[in-house]
Amino acid sequence: LLLQVSCLCGSAPCLLCGCCPSAKNSTISRLLFTFFLFLGTLVSIIMIIPGVEKELHKLPGFCEGSGSVLGVQTHVNCDSFLGHKAVYRMGFAMAAFFFLFAAIMVCVQSSKDPRAAVQNGFWFFKFLVLVGIIVGAFYIPDGTFTSVWFYFGVVGSFLFILIQLILLIDFAHSWSQLWLRNASESNAKGWYAALCIVTFIFYAISIAAIALLYIYYTKPEDCTEGKVLISINFILCLIVSAVSILPKIQDAQPHSGLLQASLITLYTIYVTWSALANVPTQTCNPTLLVRNSTSSAMSTQPLTTWWDAPSIVGLVIFIFCTLFISVRSSDHPQVNKLMLTEEGVAGAGAEAGAAESGLHRAYDNEQDGVSYNYTFFHLCLLLAALYIMMTLTNWYRPDESLQVLTSPWTAVWVKICSSWAGLLLYLWTLVAPLVLPDRDFS
């Protein structure tokens, strides 16, 4: 028991079980912080389950039916908003937790810094801190909290969507390089065939999705905004796909190709779908959810749930990208510089020593320098917490009367602008070697 307590209060090596292979101390720490994020996400999901949501009114002061908004006393039946309010407070608590560690870990250069011990250890106390912040968050009075925190969530989600796109671009480049390398080394045409098949599948899904968006989210005589947005993103995807296979681009980046463009196209179509699912017009958005706090309105509305298809897909992408942040240092120098990770082989001696000793443990690979920027990593998890908060609430917010949860146009334009920014970012990765020939973009 004493050993277990010391492990919970100590460093990451204690938390690695004997049956696991040796791993880097930095990787174990990132995975454990990510586990905290996933744990908070799971609690948020549980809180929006209808049966659990109805029980939240038992929390003291959480739904008193009144509050002060801009100095004006209001009387609101908030029973139907309880899951929404709970997810916002969980998102606030997780964001505050990661902001705290981002501030503490500023300018940590190696594991010799005393603060590195806080980053890589004391997990039991970190868990207590997180629980304490969560409990405190549920005592935040209503007032303007939800309205103001909505905009924090919008900005954070916009930034995390861009981070997701950077990770997908890096993943697609690594995927393409790996298969092309296998094809050249083994002289097997199967790798080229697999590359073509996967690319075709991605484009086929994208084209089918665009057709479905036109069918379900537009009307022949209405929904001009939806038609324009779908058409613009479709044209932009065609442009980046064509640019990716131009001879000059291929000469500058031999590994650039349609696999990367197809994956980016598929992601862009998903973001477009997610944006259209927030259009606040019932005729142009069959998935629009309206939850009213008055009993008369609720009697005419079917029981709504927050588990729509865009949210489920967004949750899957969120899990994939967050794990990617936790375990990966990119093969590409430019991505490492952008994501503030290191390519170096710091800790190689410790890795060799662990292998020779046959011990299954986490070894310190950051004595000469950290393998990732601690502060930036926590800021990424902070943005991830805001993104999952907005995803689970469908980017909805209470209207001015505080009687109805509505989907604002703000959510639509933030998502569409993020898709445009992402496409421009990918286009820049293609043309940068031509525009800046003196820089290394290998």
Side-chain angles (χ1 to χ4, degrees), residues 161 165 203 206-207 209-210 213-214 225-242 261-262 264-276 412-424 426:
I161 289 174
L165 190 82
Y203 275 122
S206 299
I207 293 172
I210 290 172
L213 291 181
Y214 276 117
E225 298 91 347
K227 296 174 184 176
V228 171
L229 295 178
I230 297 171
S231 301
I232 289 176
N233 278 8
F234 177 54
I235 293 171
L236 291 176
C237 289
L238 289 178
I239 292 174
V240 297
S241 297
S262 66
I264 300 308
T265 296
L266 186 60
Y267 181 73
T268 301
I269 300 305
Y270 157 71
V271 176
T272 307
W273 174 34
S274 180
L276 294 175
V412 178
W413 287 111
V414 167
K415 292 179 180 180
I416 289 296
C417 289
S418 67
S419 70
W420 293 342
L423 287 171
L424 289 175
Y426 175 62

Side-chain angles (χ1 to χ4, degrees), residues 359-422:
L359 296 176
H360 301 285
R361 61 187 179 86
Y363 55 88
D364 185 1
N365 63 314
E366 299 182 306
Q367 293 182 358
D368 298 326
V370 294
S371 62
Y372 65 100
N373 186 294
Y374 290 173
T375 295
F376 184 78
F377 170 72
H378 288 297
L379 289 178
C380 284
L381 294 189
L382 185 156
L383 297 178
L386 294 177
Y387 172 80
I388 199 62
M389 177 188 77
M390 300 303 291
T391 298
L392 294 179
T393 58
N394 282 39
W395 296 63
Y396 281 38
R397 71 177 181 189
D399 66 354
E400 290 78 6
S401 66
L402 299 181
Q403 297 294 320
V404 182
L405 281 180
T406 61
S407 178
W409 275 105
T410 305
V412 178
W413 287 111
V414 167
K415 292 179 180 180
I416 289 296
C417 289
S418 67
S419 70
W420 293 342

Side-chain angles (χ1 to χ4, degrees), residues 174-189:
S174 299
W175 185 0
S176 177
Q177 287 186 16
L178 175 63
W179 282 15
L180 290 174
R181 189 184 307 121
N182 291 341
S184 61
E185 291 176 355
S186 62
N187 292 323
K189 295 183 179 180

Side-chain angles (χ1 to χ4, degrees), residues 94-114:
M94 290 189 292
F97 176 78
F98 292 119
F99 179 80
L100 173 65
F101 278 91
I104 293 174
M105 298 301 161
V106 171
C107 296
V108 174
Q109 301 297 326
S110 72
S111 60
K112 298 176 183 177
D113 190 312

Side-chain angles (χ1 to χ4, degrees), residues 126-310:
K126 289 176 185 175
F127 180 74
L128 291 182
V129 169
L130 178 59
V131 171
I133 296 176
I134 292 173
V135 172
F138 277 83
Y139 284 92
I140 297 175
D142 282 334
T144 58
F145 170 76
T146 302
S147 301
V148 173
W149 193 241
F150 169 83
Y151 290 102
F152 278 91
V154 165
V155 175
S157 299
F158 174 84
L159 296 175
F160 189 72
I161 289 174
L162 294 183
I163 290 176
Q164 285 185 144
L165 190 82
I166 294 171
L167 296 174
L168 287 174
I169 292 173
D170 179 44
F171 173 74
H173 276 295
S174 299
W175 185 0
S176 177
Q177 287 186 16
L178 175 63
W179 282 15
L180 290 174
R181 189 184 307 121
N182 291 341
S184 61
E185 291 176 355
S186 62
N187 292 323
K189 295 183 179 180
W191 290 106
Y192 292 109
L195 205 62
C196 293
I197 292 173
V198 171
T199 302
F200 173 79
I201 291 174
F202 284 166
Y203 275 122
I205 295 174
S206 299
I207 293 172
I210 290 172
L212 291 174
L213 291 181
Y214 276 117
I215 293 172
Y216 289 101
Y217 290 92
T218 65
K219 300 292 182 183
E221 68 285 348
D222 199 1
C223 309
T224 305
E225 298 91 347
K227 296 174 184 176
V228 171
L229 295 178
I230 297 171
S231 301
I232 289 176
N233 278 8
F234 177 54
I235 293 171
L236 291 176
C237 289
L238 289 178
I239 292 174
V240 297
S241 297
V243 170
S244 68
I245 55 175
L246 291 176
K248 288 187 177 181
I249 299 296
Q250 289 291 304
D251 292 339
Q253 297 194 67
H255 292 102
S256 174
L258 288 177
L259 176 64
Q260 297 93 315
S262 66
L263 184 58
I264 300 308
T265 296
L266 186 60
Y267 181 73
T268 301
I269 300 305
Y270 157 71
V271 176
T272 307
W273 174 34
S274 180
L276 294 175
N278 279 108
V279 171
T281 306
Q282 191 75 54
T283 56
C284 302
N285 180 9
T287 60
L288 181 67
L289 305 177
V290 178
R291 179 173 287 193
N292 197 303
S293 65
T294 61
S295 58
S296 60
M298 287 194 70
S299 61
T300 61
Q301 293 285 345
L303 182 63
T304 58
T305 176
W306 302 112
W307 288 107
D308 61 349

